[in-house]
Amino acid sequence: MEGSTPRPPRPRAAPPSVGAVTLTPVPGVGIARAGDDLGLVVADALSRAGLEPAPGDVLVVASKLVSRCEGRFVRLPTVEPTADALALADRVQADPRLVTLVLRESVGVSRAVPGALIVRHRLGFVSANAGIDLSNARPGGAEDGSPEGPDDDPWALLLPADPDASAARLREALAARFGTAPGVIVSDSLGRPFRLGSMGTAIGVAGLVALWDHRGRADLFGRPLEHTETAIADQIACAADLVAGQADEGRPVILVRGLLLPPGEGRSADLLRPLDRDLYA
Amino acid sequence: MEGSTPRPPRPRAAPPSVGAVTLTPVPGVGIARAGDDLGLVVADALSRAGLEPAPGDVLVVASKLVSRCEGRFVRLPTVEPTADALALADRVQADPRLVTLVLRESVGVSRAVPGALIVRHRLGFVSANAGIDLSNARPGGAEDGSPEGPDDDPWALLLPADPDASAARLREALAARFGTAPGVIVSDSLGRPFRLGSMGTAIGVAGLVALWDHRGRADLFGRPLEHTETAIADQIACAADLVAGQADEGRPVILVRGLLLPPGEGRSADLLRPLDRDLYA
């Protein structure tokens, strides 16, 4: 604007512009199988791509890659539907075996209508089908070399058992390999009330702030801010999701470089709204 | 993984890795005042920074900058509280003049409890206080050179009247100036159920897809995808919010470069969940 209209002096000096943030998909990660070492998988891919972590980097890893390495596969024909699941499956018109797994992974049902089963996951977040995925869920049939079952068997893939712990282990493995420990986010794509479309969501966090509390900071005019909390880790997961792709792109690891994050180390639970602060629970 | 464990052949060939996406804050935008030409403000800042738009670029502009240019300021002492607002203000323990403005900007109240007034904005999205902001809301008092009222007057800043139209006008102005029309998102920070922390949200969209429908696409194993929609424009707004800052950083314009977006042009309303598809309305 200085070039077009006379500028008033600023109430506060603007800080120097920060540099660009880059979102880089890490190539060549491939499709992991049960028992693969996540740290090795990610570290090798980073090395091959010449993307050794730098201080301040954040790695966003798709929960599906973590779950596959952790062997969170369930072959649906092996699931014995419970009575609760049979009744609920009838209500939501879903496979009773899937609903059995959903209930097993959940602490409560939030909404259940034909075509939609929204639960509070044991990890605390609210999502459809407890994040259990039937896409990219095959451990690998004949054509991709793993022994389990025929290719057309229906498989389910559960979320990692403890995504914060998975993120912390990956962070440690990368620190041991590269001498630098990036922040790590394990991400999943979740739907939401009010708005359409899935959003990247941080279900595991290690080595960075998850929720940024602005309290005490001032606006441009020195007035205390009203929005006092920003969902930093979820927004990073959304940014990564833009380049990770949701389908057959096969880009489950994204390197985020250049963020100026507030100090501190958070956990995925920092982003969970306490029930007594949730007007929509 | 190729370097560490034997790799099975892929069920589908992974596409070549995409390049990095960059999020660049545009420096020197300054603090706009009522009547400033948004297109000129943004184009001049881009020119000065040597950031002429390239094909495929997306510009994310903070709604506050748009509102300031459009003069959406209201001096609270000029607001005559309505009877409805007085009753509601008592219930939510807020300034009746602010509540009057909130009701004027809304089509319905979603939740009203002490300390929180969640409404469905006339633009269709659900937010606290209809997105009306009391931070960075001063049109500019003595110290920043504008005539309106004493510095300590309480001011409110309404969202742009029609953010999709504002985005389209900005897109046209940039096309006229640079010969290339970037996608434009007008963003705001909204809270949400279930999770803490505000998230960047696309309340105005021009020249890019807002909601990406995956239907028909296949997963890595050729199985139809389950998550069929991705909130592309909201995720871009989240990515931009990571570098825009929420407080006194003064970086209201972010250039996003390198996205591989599906073709098409959407609107902010594409991201609104129809009431009959909303289990939490």
Side-chain angles (χ1 to χ4, degrees), chain B residues 135-219:
Chain B
S135 318
N136 293 321
R138 281 236 324 279
E143 70 189 351
D144 56 347
S146 81
E148 306 88 339
D151 295 351
D152 57 0
D153 254 10
W155 286 88
L157 186 63
L158 309 183
L159 291 178
D162 182 347
D164 281 335
S166 302
R169 280 193 301 271
L170 176 55
R171 174 172 156 81
E172 288 155 19
L174 296 171
R177 171 81 163 258
F178 299 107
T180 301
V184 174
I185 292 171
V186 175
S187 70
D188 197 29
S189 289
L190 269 58
R192 52 200 175 153
F194 311 151
R195 300 179 69 79
L196 295 174
S198 63
M199 296 280 281
T201 308
I203 66 168
V205 176
L208 73 154
V209 164
L211 183 69
W212 182 22
D213 188 335
H214 299 267
R215 268 176 295 232
R217 299 183 76 223
D219 73 4

Side-chain angles (χ1 to χ4, degrees), chain A residues 25-61:
Chain A
V26 179
V29 173
I31 300 167
R33 288 189 289 165
D36 284 349
D37 179 327
L38 179 65
L40 203 57
V41 166
V42 174
D44 286 349
L46 288 168
S47 292
R48 280 196 306 275
L51 293 172
E52 285 72 17
D57 284 356
V58 176
L59 268 186
V60 182
V61 181

